[in-house]
Protein backbone atom coordinates (compact mmCIF):
# COMPACT_ATOMS: atom_id res chain seq x y z
CA UNK A 1 0.00 0.00 0.00
CA UNK A 2 2.81 2.42 0.88
CA UNK A 3 4.48 1.81 -2.51
CA UNK A 4 1.22 2.76 -4.26
CA UNK A 5 0.64 5.82 -2.07
CA UNK A 6 4.15 7.27 -2.34
CA UNK A 7 3.93 8.52 -5.96
CA UNK A 8 0.42 9.88 -5.33
CA UNK A 9 1.61 11.77 -2.27
CA UNK A 10 4.57 13.13 -4.21
CA UNK A 11 2.16 14.29 -6.90
CA UNK A 12 -0.02 16.01 -4.28
CA UNK A 13 3.06 17.68 -2.78
CA UNK A 14 4.00 19.01 -6.22
CA UNK A 15 0.50 20.32 -6.85
CA UNK A 16 0.42 21.91 -3.38
CA UNK A 17 3.65 23.75 -4.16
CA UNK A 18 2.07 25.12 -7.34
CA UNK A 19 -1.08 26.14 -5.44
CA UNK A 20 1.03 27.89 -2.79
CA UNK A 21 2.96 29.82 -5.42
CA UNK A 22 -0.24 30.85 -7.21
CA UNK A 23 -1.88 31.90 -3.95
CA UNK A 24 1.01 34.21 -3.17
CA UNK A 25 0.99 35.55 -6.73
CA UNK A 26 -2.69 36.37 -6.22
CA UNK A 27 -1.93 37.98 -2.86
CA UNK A 28 0.71 40.23 -4.44
CA UNK A 29 -1.78 41.41 -7.06
CA UNK A 30 -4.33 41.99 -4.27
CA UNK A 31 -1.76 44.20 -2.53
CA UNK A 32 -1.43 46.24 -5.72
CA UNK A 33 -5.21 46.54 -5.86
CA UNK A 34 -5.09 47.77 -2.27
CA UNK A 35 -2.63 50.51 -3.19
CA UNK A 36 -4.89 51.70 -6.01
CA UNK A 37 -7.92 51.64 -3.69
CA UNK A 38 -6.02 53.66 -1.09
CA UNK A 39 -5.15 56.29 -3.71
CA UNK A 40 -8.79 56.59 -4.82
CA UNK A 41 -10.29 56.10 -1.34
CA UNK A 42 -12.24 53.09 -2.66
CA UNK A 43 -13.76 50.61 -0.18
CA UNK A 44 -11.78 47.49 0.71
CA UNK A 45 -14.82 45.21 0.56
CA UNK A 46 -16.82 45.09 -2.68
CA UNK A 47 -19.62 42.54 -2.19
CA UNK A 48 -20.76 42.69 -5.81
CA UNK A 49 -17.25 41.87 -7.07
CA UNK A 50 -16.83 38.98 -4.62
CA UNK A 51 -20.28 37.63 -5.52
CA UNK A 52 -19.33 37.67 -9.21
CA UNK A 53 -16.07 35.80 -8.47
CA UNK A 54 -17.84 33.15 -6.39
CA UNK A 55 -20.60 32.63 -8.94
CA UNK A 56 -17.97 32.44 -11.68
CA UNK A 57 -15.89 29.71 -10.01
CA UNK A 58 -19.06 27.69 -9.37
CA UNK A 59 -20.13 28.01 -13.01
CA UNK A 60 -16.67 27.03 -14.32
CA UNK A 61 -16.05 24.26 -11.80
CA UNK A 62 -15.56 20.90 -13.60
CA UNK A 63 -15.55 18.80 -10.41
CA UNK A 64 -15.07 16.49 -8.62
CA UNK A 65 -15.19 19.19 -5.93
CA UNK A 66 -18.72 20.50 -5.42
CA UNK A 67 -19.63 24.10 -6.25
CA UNK A 68 -20.24 25.00 -2.60
CA UNK A 69 -16.88 23.58 -1.52
CA UNK A 70 -15.08 25.50 -4.27
CA UNK A 71 -16.87 28.70 -3.26
CA UNK A 72 -15.86 28.17 0.38
CA UNK A 73 -12.21 27.83 -0.63
CA UNK A 74 -12.29 30.93 -2.83
CA UNK A 75 -14.13 32.95 -0.18
CA UNK A 76 -11.29 32.28 2.24
CA UNK A 77 -8.72 33.17 -0.42
CA UNK A 78 -10.45 36.51 -1.04
CA UNK A 79 -10.82 37.10 2.71
CA UNK A 80 -7.11 36.53 3.32
CA UNK A 81 -6.12 38.73 0.37
CA UNK A 82 -8.55 41.46 1.48
CA UNK A 83 -6.95 41.41 4.94
CA UNK A 84 -3.62 42.31 3.33
CA UNK A 85 -5.25 45.60 2.35
CA UNK A 86 -7.04 46.11 5.69
CA UNK A 87 -8.92 43.82 8.06
CA UNK A 88 -12.63 44.54 8.00
CA UNK A 89 -14.49 44.81 11.32
CA UNK A 90 -17.97 43.33 11.57
CA UNK A 91 -20.46 43.66 14.44
CA UNK A 92 -22.87 40.80 15.11
CA UNK A 93 -25.22 39.48 17.78
CA UNK A 94 -22.91 37.67 20.23
CA UNK A 95 -21.36 36.12 22.13
CA UNK A 96 -19.08 33.96 20.00
CA UNK A 97 -20.77 30.88 18.61
CA UNK A 98 -24.07 32.40 17.43
CA UNK A 99 -25.60 31.81 14.02
CA UNK A 100 -24.95 35.52 13.45
CA UNK A 101 -21.21 34.84 13.78
CA UNK A 102 -21.57 31.98 11.28
CA UNK A 103 -23.28 34.41 8.90
CA UNK A 104 -20.34 36.84 9.27
CA UNK A 105 -17.86 34.18 8.18
CA UNK A 106 -20.17 32.94 5.41
CA UNK A 107 -20.19 36.46 3.93
CA UNK A 108 -16.71 37.80 4.69
CA UNK A 109 -14.57 34.71 5.31
CA UNK A 110 -12.62 34.26 8.54
CA UNK A 111 -9.94 36.93 7.99
CA UNK A 112 -12.06 39.64 9.63
CA UNK A 113 -12.32 41.10 13.13
CA UNK A 114 -15.68 40.26 14.66
CA UNK A 115 -17.28 42.49 17.28
CA UNK A 116 -19.83 40.51 19.35
CA UNK A 117 -22.71 42.68 20.61
CA UNK A 118 -25.26 42.01 23.35
CA UNK A 119 -28.28 42.91 21.20
CA UNK A 120 -29.39 43.71 17.67
CA UNK A 121 -29.69 47.33 18.78
CA UNK A 122 -26.00 47.34 19.69
CA UNK A 123 -25.08 45.94 16.27
CA UNK A 124 -26.85 48.89 14.65
CA UNK A 125 -25.24 51.37 17.06
CA UNK A 126 -21.73 50.02 16.48
CA UNK A 127 -22.19 50.17 12.72
CA UNK A 128 -23.77 53.62 12.70
CA UNK A 129 -21.02 55.00 14.96
CA UNK A 130 -18.26 53.57 12.75
CA UNK A 131 -16.95 51.27 15.48
CA UNK A 132 -17.56 48.48 12.96
CA UNK A 133 -17.27 48.69 9.18
CA UNK A 134 -20.33 46.48 8.83
CA UNK A 135 -22.99 44.79 10.90
CA UNK A 136 -24.74 41.47 10.34
CA UNK A 137 -28.30 41.12 11.64
CA UNK A 138 -31.02 38.47 11.25
CA UNK A 139 -34.00 39.64 9.23
CA UNK A 140 -36.25 36.58 8.83
CA UNK A 141 -36.58 32.88 9.57
CA UNK A 142 -38.18 30.33 7.28
CA UNK A 143 -40.48 28.99 10.01
CA UNK A 144 -40.98 31.95 12.38
CA UNK A 145 -41.07 34.81 9.88
CA UNK A 146 -39.63 38.30 10.28
CA UNK A 147 -37.26 39.38 13.05
CA UNK A 148 -39.33 42.37 14.09
CA UNK A 149 -36.62 44.22 16.00
CA UNK A 150 -34.42 44.31 12.91
CA UNK A 151 -37.30 45.63 10.79
CA UNK A 152 -38.08 48.36 13.32
CA UNK A 153 -34.45 49.48 13.46
CA UNK A 154 -34.13 49.52 9.67
CA UNK A 155 -36.82 52.18 9.58
CA UNK A 156 -34.71 54.84 11.29
CA UNK A 157 -31.11 53.79 10.62
CA UNK A 158 -28.91 55.62 8.11
CA UNK A 159 -27.28 52.26 7.33
CA UNK A 160 -27.78 50.57 3.97
CA UNK A 161 -28.08 46.87 3.19
CA UNK A 162 -25.10 45.67 1.14
CA UNK A 163 -25.49 41.89 1.30
CA UNK A 164 -27.60 38.94 2.39
CA UNK A 165 -26.73 35.50 3.72
CA UNK A 166 -28.99 32.49 4.24
CA UNK A 167 -27.84 30.04 6.93
CA UNK A 168 -29.18 26.55 7.60
CA UNK A 169 -30.21 26.56 11.28
CA UNK A 170 -29.81 23.29 13.21
CA UNK A 171 -30.63 23.46 16.90
CA UNK A 172 -29.32 20.99 19.48
CA UNK A 173 -30.26 20.52 23.12
CA UNK A 174 -27.10 20.49 25.22
CA UNK A 175 -25.97 20.42 28.85
CA UNK A 176 -22.69 20.42 30.71
CA UNK A 177 -23.00 16.67 31.35
CA UNK A 178 -24.67 15.62 28.11
CA UNK A 179 -27.77 14.36 29.97
CA UNK A 180 -30.93 16.07 31.27
CA UNK A 181 -30.68 14.81 34.84
CA UNK A 182 -30.97 17.76 37.27
CA UNK A 183 -31.93 20.27 34.55
CA UNK A 184 -34.49 22.81 35.76
CA UNK A 185 -34.64 25.27 32.87
CA UNK A 186 -34.07 25.27 29.10
CA UNK A 187 -32.57 28.51 27.77
CA UNK A 188 -32.36 29.88 24.24
CA UNK A 189 -33.17 32.92 22.17
CA UNK A 190 -36.92 33.43 21.84
CA UNK A 191 -36.77 32.58 18.12
CA UNK A 192 -35.02 29.28 18.84
CA UNK A 193 -37.57 28.37 21.51
CA UNK A 194 -40.34 29.02 19.00
CA UNK A 195 -38.56 27.00 16.30
CA UNK A 196 -38.32 23.99 18.65
CA UNK A 197 -41.70 24.38 20.37
CA UNK A 198 -43.36 21.17 19.09
CA UNK A 199 -40.32 19.03 19.95
CA UNK A 200 -40.04 20.56 23.42
CA UNK A 201 -43.75 20.05 24.08
CA UNK A 202 -43.42 16.38 23.18
CA UNK A 203 -40.21 15.65 25.07
CA UNK A 204 -39.84 18.12 27.97
CA UNK A 205 -43.23 19.76 28.49
CA UNK A 206 -42.76 20.36 32.21
CA UNK A 207 -39.32 22.00 32.19
CA UNK A 208 -39.31 25.80 32.33
CA UNK A 209 -38.23 27.60 29.13
CA UNK A 210 -36.42 30.91 29.44
CA UNK A 211 -35.62 33.34 26.62
CA UNK A 212 -32.13 34.89 26.71
CA UNK A 213 -30.24 37.32 24.47
CA UNK A 214 -28.83 34.64 22.14
CA UNK A 215 -28.36 30.90 21.80
CA UNK A 216 -24.63 31.31 22.39
CA UNK A 217 -25.42 33.11 25.64
CA UNK A 218 -27.61 30.15 26.60
CA UNK A 219 -24.67 27.83 25.84
CA UNK A 220 -22.38 29.95 28.00
CA UNK A 221 -24.88 29.83 30.87
CA UNK A 222 -25.26 26.05 30.54
CA UNK A 223 -21.49 25.68 30.65
CA UNK A 224 -21.49 27.43 34.02
CA UNK A 225 -24.61 25.84 35.55
CA UNK A 226 -25.54 22.12 35.37
CA UNK A 227 -29.21 22.94 36.06
CA UNK A 228 -29.46 24.77 32.70
CA UNK A 229 -29.87 23.18 29.29
CA UNK A 230 -29.20 25.24 26.19
CA UNK A 231 -30.64 25.17 22.70
CA UNK A 232 -27.86 26.26 20.37
CA UNK A 233 -25.65 25.16 17.50
CA UNK A 234 -23.20 22.36 18.17
CA UNK A 235 -20.45 24.84 17.32
CA UNK A 236 -21.56 27.01 20.25
CA UNK A 237 -21.88 23.96 22.47
CA UNK A 238 -18.31 22.87 21.73
CA UNK A 239 -17.09 26.39 22.47
CA UNK A 240 -18.54 26.21 25.99
CA UNK A 241 -17.79 22.56 26.73
CA UNK A 242 -21.32 21.16 26.40
CA UNK A 243 -22.45 17.64 25.57
CA UNK A 244 -25.27 17.00 23.10
CA UNK A 245 -28.46 15.54 24.58
CA UNK A 246 -30.43 15.63 21.32
CA UNK A 247 -29.31 16.98 17.96
CA UNK A 248 -31.39 18.76 15.30
CA UNK A 249 -34.48 19.35 17.43
CA UNK A 250 -35.89 22.18 15.26
CA UNK A 251 -39.47 21.48 14.16
CA UNK A 252 -38.67 22.32 10.53
CA UNK A 253 -35.81 20.17 9.18
CA UNK A 254 -35.20 22.79 6.47
CA UNK A 255 -35.08 25.67 8.95
CA UNK A 256 -33.10 28.65 7.61
CA UNK A 257 -32.42 32.19 8.76
CA UNK A 258 -31.71 35.08 6.41
CA UNK A 259 -29.26 37.73 7.55
CA UNK A 260 -28.43 41.09 5.99
CA UNK A 261 -25.21 43.09 6.01
CA UNK A 262 -25.62 46.73 7.04
CA UNK A 263 -23.19 49.63 6.65
CA UNK A 264 -22.56 52.76 4.61
CA UNK A 265 -21.60 51.02 1.37
CA UNK A 266 -23.48 51.62 -1.88
CA UNK A 267 -23.07 48.50 -4.01
CA UNK A 268 -22.93 48.34 -7.79
CA UNK A 269 -24.93 45.77 -9.76
CA UNK A 270 -23.60 42.21 -9.56
CA UNK A 271 -25.95 40.70 -12.13
CA UNK A 272 -28.17 38.97 -9.55
CA UNK A 273 -29.42 41.46 -6.99
CA UNK A 274 -32.21 42.32 -4.60
CA UNK A 275 -33.44 45.77 -3.62
CA UNK A 276 -35.20 46.43 -0.32
CA UNK A 277 -37.55 49.36 0.38
CA UNK A 278 -39.90 50.54 3.13
CA UNK A 279 -43.25 52.04 2.13
CA UNK A 280 -46.33 53.47 3.82
CA UNK A 281 -49.72 54.43 2.41
CA UNK A 282 -52.73 56.36 3.71
CA UNK A 283 -55.40 54.17 5.29
CA UNK A 284 -57.91 53.94 2.42
CA UNK A 285 -59.42 51.18 0.31
CA UNK A 286 -57.13 49.85 -2.40
CA UNK A 287 -54.15 51.93 -1.30
CA UNK A 288 -51.69 49.01 -1.07
CA UNK A 289 -52.79 47.58 -4.43
CA UNK A 290 -52.40 50.96 -6.12
CA UNK A 291 -49.02 51.48 -4.47
CA UNK A 292 -47.55 48.19 -5.68
CA UNK A 293 -49.02 48.34 -9.19
CA UNK A 294 -45.85 49.98 -10.64
CA UNK A 295 -43.89 46.79 -9.91
CA UNK A 296 -46.12 44.68 -12.15
CA UNK A 297 -46.36 47.48 -14.72
CA UNK A 298 -42.56 47.58 -15.08
CA UNK A 299 -42.01 43.81 -14.90
CA UNK A 300 -40.28 43.87 -11.50
CA UNK A 301 -40.80 40.75 -9.36
CA UNK A 302 -41.54 41.15 -5.64
CA UNK A 303 -39.85 38.48 -3.53
CA UNK A 304 -40.90 39.55 -0.03
CA UNK A 305 -43.65 41.60 1.57
CA UNK A 306 -43.87 42.25 5.33
CA UNK A 307 -45.97 44.69 7.33
CA UNK A 308 -45.17 46.26 10.68
CA UNK A 309 -47.37 48.53 12.82
CA UNK A 310 -46.34 52.16 12.54
CA UNK A 311 -44.92 53.47 15.81
CA UNK A 312 -44.55 57.06 14.59
CA UNK A 313 -46.35 59.28 12.14
CA UNK A 314 -49.95 59.10 10.95
CA UNK A 315 -50.00 55.81 9.03
CA UNK A 316 -51.06 52.48 10.46
CA UNK A 317 -48.46 50.22 8.81
CA UNK A 318 -45.07 50.24 7.18
CA UNK A 319 -44.51 47.73 4.40
CA UNK A 320 -41.11 46.11 3.88
CA UNK A 321 -40.72 45.01 0.27
CA UNK A 322 -37.91 43.14 -1.50
CA UNK A 323 -37.77 43.08 -5.30
CA UNK A 324 -35.51 41.41 -7.83
CA UNK A 325 -32.97 43.68 -9.46
CA UNK A 326 -30.73 46.65 -8.62
CA UNK A 327 -31.71 50.30 -8.28
CA UNK A 328 -29.53 51.01 -11.32
CA UNK A 329 -31.53 48.58 -13.50
CA UNK A 330 -33.82 50.69 -15.74
CA UNK A 331 -36.99 48.75 -14.89
CA UNK A 332 -36.30 48.95 -11.14
CA UNK A 333 -35.40 52.66 -11.38
CA UNK A 334 -38.68 53.43 -13.12
CA UNK A 335 -40.78 51.28 -10.78
CA UNK A 336 -39.26 52.82 -7.66
CA UNK A 337 -39.79 56.35 -8.98
CA UNK A 338 -43.50 55.60 -9.43
CA UNK A 339 -43.67 53.94 -6.00
CA UNK A 340 -42.14 57.03 -4.43
CA UNK A 341 -44.70 59.29 -6.13
CA UNK A 342 -47.59 57.23 -4.74
CA UNK A 343 -46.25 56.52 -1.24
CA UNK A 344 -46.85 58.49 1.92
CA UNK A 345 -43.43 57.25 3.11
CA UNK A 346 -40.62 55.84 0.96
CA UNK A 347 -37.12 54.66 1.85
CA UNK A 348 -34.65 52.56 -0.14
CA UNK A 349 -32.73 50.28 2.22
CA UNK A 350 -30.22 49.24 -0.43
CA UNK A 351 -29.47 47.06 -3.42
CA UNK A 352 -27.19 44.06 -2.89
CA UNK A 353 -26.09 40.71 -4.37
CA UNK A 354 -28.48 37.84 -3.69
CA UNK A 355 -27.38 35.13 -1.30
CA UNK A 356 -25.30 32.37 -2.86
CA UNK A 357 -27.09 29.73 -0.75
Amino acid sequence: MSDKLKPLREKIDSIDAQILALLNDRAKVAQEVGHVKAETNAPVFRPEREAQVLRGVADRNPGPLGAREVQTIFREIMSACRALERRVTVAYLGPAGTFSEQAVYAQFGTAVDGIPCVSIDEVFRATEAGTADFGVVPVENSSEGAVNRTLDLMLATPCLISGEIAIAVHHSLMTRTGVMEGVQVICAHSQALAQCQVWLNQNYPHIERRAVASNAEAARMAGDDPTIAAIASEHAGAQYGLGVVNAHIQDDPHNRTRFVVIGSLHTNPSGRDHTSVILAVPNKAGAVYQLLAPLAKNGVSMTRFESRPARIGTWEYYFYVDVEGHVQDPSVTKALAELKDNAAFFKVLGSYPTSLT
Side-chain angles (χ1 to χ4, degrees), residues 1-10:
M1 178 64 72
S2 60
D3 289 341
K4 292 181 179 179
L5 284 176
K6 184 177 179 181
L8 295 175
R9 286 174 173 166
E10 289 175 348

Side-chain angles (χ1 to χ4, degrees), residues 222-255:
D224 291 338
D225 188 343
T227 68
I228 294 176
I231 296 174
S233 69
E234 292 186 24
H235 171 71
Q239 195 149 7
Y240 295 101
L242 303 184
V244 176
V245 179
N246 290 95
H248 295 191
I249 67 171
Q250 66 278 357
D251 300 328
D252 177 5
H254 306 294
N255 189 25

